[in-house]
Amino acid sequence: MPQPMPLRALLAEISALTLHVQQLSRMAGEASALIENGQRPAPIPPENRHVTDQDAEAERQAQSAELEAAILRIFDETFGPRTDTLERQMSMSLIGEIGPAAFVQKVLWGEEISDIALTIALERMLPALERLVEVHPRAFLRQANSVLGRFKSN
């Protein structure tokens, strides 16, 4: 008996996410080896940085604005310049509510029925959103970076 398409799509997304985590793990190992060999300077630990809360907030706002502009470009490239489409209006409302990084996470990795429906509606955008994650991994994979850090320390 064939499985429903949404389940197949969900399984494909889980598989893709697993591959991304494996790639990130491999990259973290390579970066660690480079640092240990002295080929790259080690990153400055957060406690040694002199960044104020205002600096951090300004950086988050700038990054958020950059991500939102990138998402708008992706919409234009994928669906054309029309702003009155249901997909675009719903997406812009959601971006305003949860922010651009959380929006992309919801589209690419969301687990709720509404997330899956959003993913299906924006299916043509998925490759571009995946590239956006590759360009800005720190913005989208904060949780994954902390998990990978724990694996690395073990």
Side-chain angles (χ1 to χ4, degrees):
M1 179 174 192
Q3 296 179 357
M5 278 302 280
L7 182 57
R8 286 184 188 163
L10 181 60
L11 292 173
E13 289 298 319
I14 291 170
S15 177
L17 180 57
T18 302
L19 290 174
H20 286 295
V21 170
Q22 288 172 345
Q23 289 174 335
L24 286 171
S25 180
R26 180 188 50 78
M27 290 168 46
E30 290 173 1
S32 178
L34 288 173
I35 290 169
E36 288 172 7
N37 293 332
Q39 294 176 352
R40 284 210 154 142
I44 300 169
E47 62 273 3
N48 293 341
R49 294 182 192 158
H50 297 290
V51 178
T52 66
D53 289 340
Q54 287 178 328
D55 292 339
E57 181 59 27
E59 184 179 332
R60 277 191 294 275
Q61 287 179 353
Q63 186 178 54
S64 181
E66 182 181 346
L67 293 177
E68 189 167 343
I71 292 169
L72 289 173
R73 281 192 304 276
I74 291 169
F75 263 105
D76 287 346
E77 293 166 3
T78 306
F79 296 108
R82 289 187 55 192
T83 60
D84 62 345
T85 63
L86 181 62
E87 294 92 350
R88 194 164 189 161
Q89 288 178 350
M90 287 175 42
S91 296
M92 291 303 111
S93 174
L94 190 56
I95 289 170
E97 185 179 320
I98 65 174
F103 169 78
V104 172
Q105 289 170 326
K106 189 177 263 305
V107 172
L108 293 179
W109 305 305
E111 297 175 351
E112 297 176 11
I113 296 296
S114 61
D115 300 340
I116 295 168
L118 182 63
T119 300
I120 291 169
L122 301 177
E123 184 176 12
R124 293 180 14 208
M125 287 179 61
L126 296 180
L129 292 176
E130 288 171 349
R131 284 191 301 276
L132 186 64
V133 171
E134 290 172 3
V135 172
H136 300 281
R138 294 183 78 197
F140 297 106
L141 301 172
R142 290 185 206 281
Q143 295 161 335
N145 287 335
S146 67
V147 170
L148 288 174
R150 282 184 278 170
F151 282 132
K152 187 176 151 187
S153 67
N154 290 336

